[in-house]
Amino acid sequence: MKRALAAVALTALAVVLIRNSHSGDFTTILTRSESLSDAPPLRQSEFSPPAFNESTYIFNAVHNQLRHVGNAMAPNGMTFTPGFVPPGTVLYHGMNRKELPQDLDWFAFDPEYSFTMCCNIGHAFGNPHITTAQVVEPLKIVYIDGASASLSSDLGTMDSQGFLLDDPIDTWNDYTEFARGDRLCRLFKENGFKLDGFVRMNTGFELLMCNMTNPKVEYVMNNAIAVSEEEGTAGLMKRSSFEVGQTFLSRDRFGNLLVRPSREFNFFDYDWVKSMERTHSSAGEERVELDYRGLVTIYGMEGSRDIDFPKNVSQHRLLTGSEALRQELRSQLWEADKHTRTYDPYRINWRTVTDNLVYKMAPILAQIKNGLGQLEAGTSSLNDTSKHLGGITSMLRLRFEGDEELANSTRHDVDAQVERCAKTYASDFHKYDVTPFEEKVRFAIRLVSTAVCSVIMETADWANKVQTRVGNVSEELPSKLHADVSDLISDLNWSYFVSCTHRCKDNEVCYLPTWPHGGREPHIPAEPLQCRTIEDLRKSRGL
């Protein structure tokens, strides 16, 4: 009992600190904040406990895994996660010749991706073919988050790959895709990592294969794409004047491929972005199975705290990362391999754990912000606002009330409610044999859930007091709560708040212009995405 009371007090202190500062270090608080009598202490010697701002980055790195919108919001990824591409997965490769690919090259998970890259950007050239393959044995991969296949080196999408390669900063961008991919494959294999390739994102997800003749993949089809030498030939594509073997894209001075921005957005582009739309959120790219036992994120590493990361996560760079941080990253990756060499269907899916918090709490936070904003603006009355907000938070408030509160309806221990609420989302996983990488994730989720529960429970308590007219309510409290929830939503930076607000019509796409459709740089959504028709997209380009 004493331990439980102490835990409540400690979490209450954490709540106070979170309310007053979103950048504090709550390590000394939450390492002792479990209220279960058999809860072991966190293994602090095996990971560096993150502060609140680092926890939001780690939380989102987990929640955004293999999801398009979240990775577009934080295009310069900082996280590497081992996993598998399971047997039966169908893959596609576009090329300008009939011969099957050799050595290092890439597969797409969607045929539209390969078709557009082969036959649409710059139009067909050479002897275009689309090859279909199937995975026959599990492929061991490492997923690199962010827009890591977007060749926007100036923005930073290549930072984590360049940083890992142990090269001087001014040469990170000098590699072509094939040279960079080859060096990554060799680095992992030379350090004992059992690896077949990397999964990365631009407009959809791709699999960079270290060896396209890998026996774990079988080629099952090789289709030629019909082309014409003349313009306007029905059903055929106009052949480009490029010579066989030349790239169909222009290149920048670093050798990276660029798209001609004046090219008309056509139905092939529309098919491509439409195929990618299903990975915006929900299950994401479900044809890849990640193993969170080995999730390695630069956020929260001791060496990363020397980098002055700005508040805007889209501007996070590794340009000032130290050699010590590079070695720390490498060491953790090689250690992660040891935890993930065998497939385990009973491991914890930490992305689902974050989903439980996001999809329950995000709509509530949005309504609290909107309701309190209307109250401040004078467009809603105190009674109507408190009644509505009390209604949407009532189940949570009642769910986390204790015995003393049930016995006395005038007593509401908000701090205890926050503790019970936060515990729901991450605390009990210590019962499993989690790795140090997972412990770091659990710690981050606990801090984020504490901050979210704090704002919601405070709002619930205020609304209940206004409606029941029990207890003193400060007139300034609604304004403070509005500021708190607004700041929290900004700090959380959840993709939920910028995803399309409704299902698009059949002739529309929830449009997110990521490279190469976004031009030189990926689009970073700050406002909700819109459903767009192909006519809308053509007009937006002035075509």
Side-chain angles (χ1 to χ4, degrees):
M1 183 64 181
K2 290 182 179 179
R3 179 188 173 99
L5 292 174
V8 170
L10 287 166
T11 302
L13 179 56
V15 171
V16 172
L17 288 173
I18 288 175
R19 292 172 188 167
N20 294 321
S21 172
H22 284 182
S23 60
D25 183 355
F26 309 119
T27 303
T28 58
I29 301 168
L30 291 190
T31 50
R32 296 174 51 200
S33 66
E34 303 291 359
S35 61
L36 295 177
S37 60
D38 59 345
L42 292 178
R43 292 174 285 182
Q44 293 191 57
S45 60
E46 299 185 49
F47 79 100
S48 181
F52 180 74
N53 62 326
E54 294 173 319
S55 292
T56 61
Y57 306 148
I58 295 169
F59 184 100
N60 287 339
V62 176
H63 181 62
N64 295 335
Q65 296 273 287
L66 295 170
R67 288 168 169 165
H68 196 223
V69 177
N71 281 295
M73 295 172 66
N76 306 340
M78 301 283 170
T79 303
F80 300 79
T81 310
F84 296 89
V85 178
T89 303
V90 179
L91 303 169
Y92 307 90
H93 178 74
M95 52 193 176
N96 66 337
R97 60 191 182 280
K98 182 178 181 179
E99 294 76 23
L100 294 177
Q102 306 287 316
D103 304 319
L104 180 137
D105 216 314
W106 56 265
F107 282 117
F109 287 94
D110 295 306
E112 295 85 356
Y113 186 147
S114 282
F115 184 94
T116 306
M117 295 297 289
C118 168
C119 307
N120 184 36
I121 300 177
H123 302 298
F125 68 101
N127 186 14
H129 280 68
I130 298 291
T131 297
T132 304
Q134 189 173 39
V135 179
V136 294
E137 293 182 41
L139 293 173
K140 180 65 179 294
I141 59 91
V142 169
Y143 165 59
I144 307 173
D145 74 340
S148 52
S150 299
L151 306 182
S152 305
S153 12
D154 294 342
L155 183 68
T157 56
M158 293 284 119
D159 272 14
S160 65
Q161 297 165 76
F163 184 71
L164 184 62
L165 285 176
D166 193 14
D167 289 307
I169 292 173
D170 59 357
T171 67
W172 285 1
N173 300 331
D174 287 356
Y175 297 105
T176 63
E177 265 291 86
F178 287 90
R180 183 186 294 108
D182 182 64
R183 288 176 62 91
L184 283 170
C185 288
R186 285 192 285 112
L187 176 65
F188 275 72
K189 291 180 178 180
E190 288 169 359
N191 285 277
F193 205 108
K194 307 297 183 183
L195 183 76
D196 295 305
F198 299 91
V199 171
R200 308 181 306 171
M201 187 196 87
N202 53 40
T203 301
F205 290 86
E206 69 176 33
L207 170 60
L208 182 65
M209 286 285 289
C210 295
N211 185 357
M212 295 290 276
T213 61
N214 191 322
K216 297 180 181 179
V217 174
E218 287 185 356
Y219 291 92
V220 297
M221 192 183 303
N222 191 13
N223 288 14
I225 305 300
V227 294
S228 170
E229 305 295 340
E230 303 297 329
E231 289 281 5
T233 306
L236 300 177
M237 299 189 68
K238 171 70 168 60
R239 188 186 298 277
S240 168
S241 60
F242 291 114
E243 296 179 4
V244 175
Q246 276 193 310
T247 178
F248 47 92
L249 302 172
S250 60
R251 290 181 179 268
D252 66 10
R253 63 189 180 90
F254 298 125
N256 287 328
L257 304 177
L258 300 176
V259 177
R260 293 181 296 171
S262 62
R263 184 178 60 79
E264 179 179 306
F265 190 97
N266 56 38
F267 278 102
F268 300 124
D269 295 309
Y270 175 82
D271 286 341
W272 187 6
V273 297
K274 191 71 174 174
S275 72
M276 169 271 298
E277 182 182 30
R278 65 180 179 77
T279 69
H280 275 195
S281 55
S282 187
E285 181 45 78
E286 70 273 17
R287 290 164 290 191
V288 178
E289 298 183 14
L290 298 181
D291 192 336
Y292 300 99
R293 293 175 299 176
L295 183 145
V296 175
T297 179
I298 292 172
Y299 293 127
M301 286 187 182
E302 200 62 43
S304 71
R305 288 167 180 160
D306 296 329
I307 300 175
D308 187 18
F309 286 126
K311 182 177 176 60
N312 186 343
V313 70
S314 69
Q315 298 174 3
H316 289 190
R317 301 295 305 269
L318 285 171
L319 300 178
T320 59
S322 65
E323 179 61 27
L325 176 61
R326 191 191 331 276
Q327 295 306 323
E328 187 178 0
L329 171 61
R330 286 185 171 187
S331 175
Q332 290 198 21
L333 281 170
W334 315 149
E335 180 65 25
D337 177 47
K338 299 175 183 177
H339 291 286
T340 58
R341 287 181 178 174
T342 56
Y343 176 75
D344 180 4
Y346 301 107
R347 65 189 183 274
I348 299 171
N349 186 330
W350 288 98
R351 193 181 73 172
T352 300
V353 176
T354 67
D355 289 354
N356 292 338
L357 185 71
V358 171
Y359 295 125
K360 173 62 180 178
M361 300 304 196
I364 296 175
L365 290 173
Q367 290 182 77
I368 291 174
K369 179 182 177 181
N370 184 58
L372 293 174
Q374 290 179 353
L375 179 61
E376 273 201 290
T379 57
S380 177
S381 68
L382 177 65
N383 182 63
D384 288 345
T385 300
S386 60
K387 184 176 182 180
H388 177 67
L389 297 186
I392 65 171
T393 60
S394 59
M395 182 180 290
L396 287 172
R397 179 178 60 81
L398 294 171
R399 176 182 167 193
F400 296 119
E401 283 187 339
D403 293 341
E404 294 181 0
E405 293 162 302
L406 292 176
N408 183 353
S409 60
T410 64
R411 176 183 172 84
H412 296 283
D413 188 339
V414 176
D415 292 338
Q417 290 175 336
V418 171
E419 160 70 6
R420 298 180 190 117
C421 174
K423 277 179 76 254
T424 300
Y425 294 97
S427 64
D428 287 350
F429 289 102
H430 60 74
K431 294 182 178 180
Y432 296 86
D433 185 20
V434 297
T435 67
F437 304 105
E438 292 177 290
E439 195 66 81
K440 180 178 177 180
V441 168
R442 185 181 82 93
F443 192 96
I445 294 175
R446 183 63 188 274
L447 273 182
V448 171
S449 61
T450 299
V452 171
C453 292
S454 174
V455 168
I456 291 177
M457 289 305 172
E458 277 196 310
T459 302
D461 183 62
W462 165 80
N464 182 62
K465 287 178 177 177
V466 172
Q467 287 294 303
T468 61
R469 299 179 181 178
V470 174
N472 297 321
V473 181
S474 168
E475 293 183 0
E476 290 76 29
L477 186 55
S479 179
K480 178 184 181 301
L481 289 174
H482 184 228
D484 287 347
V485 72
S486 299
D487 289 344
L488 180 61
I489 288 175
S490 176
D491 288 344
L492 294 175
N493 199 35
W494 285 346
S495 59
Y496 177 93
F497 298 114
V498 298
S499 297
C500 282
T501 56
H502 61 278
R503 182 183 181 277
C504 297
K505 297 177 182 177
D506 292 339
N507 67 330
E508 296 175 327
V509 62
C510 182
Y511 186 57
L512 175 56
T514 311
W515 192 96
H517 291 296
R520 185 69 174 96
E521 298 181 353
H523 177 69
I524 301 169
E527 298 179 353
L529 304 174
Q530 301 296 317
C531 294
R532 312 287 293 279
T533 65
I534 187 171
E535 289 76 18
D536 294 332
L537 294 170
R538 284 173 170 169
K539 289 178 183 177
S540 68
R541 293 191 178 188
L543 299 173

